[in-house]
Amino acid sequence: LSGSFSLQAPSEDAIFGRQNVSTWFDDLDFYEALRRALFELETAVMPDRKPSTWIAVNCNAVFSPHTDAGVGKGQSLSLIVGLGDYSGGELVVEGSASDIRYKPLEFDGWRQRHWTLPFHGDRFTLV
């Protein structure tokens, strides 16, 4: 199983955060609970960081060298953390590999080339 989806930060007008969620979630109450939990996790992990407007959830995704497209939805820096039972899968940013498994890393995804090293197991990333 592999794939990705994005969640918009919870707010009363965040209806766009529900786009295409029916392919991942039958239960919208579960979706809302997950969305709130992930944004609360970001605040707990990086309390001094400006809160993100979106979080991408990746399951077993492998990315080739790239820079992110777009304007970052108001963010200037990306924050990534790896979760799951896996080995390998370091994130390489401009040629420097970092172990992100339960270790958050901030980097400029719009300016710095980054990619995923091979891994074994189930690897989730929150970006």
Side-chain angles (χ1 to χ4, degrees), residues 61-111:
V62 177
F63 293 98
S64 301
H66 69 283
T67 55
D68 296 334
V71 294
K73 304 285 186 188
Q75 297 296 132
S76 60
L77 292 175
S78 298
L79 175 65
I80 186 170
V81 64
L83 308 171
D85 185 16
Y86 69 93
S87 60
E90 292 83 359
L91 179 72
V92 180
V93 178
E94 293 291 330
S96 178
S98 296
D99 177 8
I100 60 166
R101 186 170 181 260
Y102 298 101
K103 299 173 188 169
L105 176 70
E106 250 185 343
F107 67 102
D108 188 338
W110 293 271
R111 291 194 178 100

Side-chain angles (χ1 to χ4, degrees), residues 23-125:
T23 57
W24 284 86
F25 301 101
D26 293 328
D27 182 347
L28 286 181
D29 289 335
F30 176 79
Y31 165 80
E32 290 295 340
L34 174 64
R35 181 165 76 153
R36 289 193 185 282
L38 292 180
F39 283 94
E40 287 171 6
L41 175 63
E42 177 190 36
T43 301
V45 169
M46 300 286 281
D48 296 328
R49 184 178 196 272
K50 179 182 174 188
S52 296
T53 54
W54 289 83
I55 292 179
V57 179
N58 303 303
C59 173
N60 294 327
V62 177
F63 293 98
S64 301
H66 69 283
T67 55
D68 296 334
V71 294
K73 304 285 186 188
Q75 297 296 132
S76 60
L77 292 175
S78 298
L79 175 65
I80 186 170
V81 64
L83 308 171
D85 185 16
Y86 69 93
S87 60
E90 292 83 359
L91 179 72
V92 180
V93 178
E94 293 291 330
S96 178
S98 296
D99 177 8
I100 60 166
R101 186 170 181 260
Y102 298 101
K103 299 173 188 169
L105 176 70
E106 250 185 343
F107 67 102
D108 188 338
W110 293 271
R111 291 194 178 100
Q112 296 177 297
R113 280 176 29 116
H114 54 284
W115 61 94
T116 311
L117 291 181
F119 60 89
H120 298 282
D122 288 320
R123 179 181 183 268
F124 293 83
T125 56

Side-chain angles (χ1 to χ4, degrees), residues 9-26:
S11 72
E12 291 185 26
D13 61 347
I15 59 171
F16 296 110
R18 289 186 172 208
Q19 289 180 336
N20 301 321
V21 297
S22 62
T23 57
W24 284 86
F25 301 101
D26 293 328

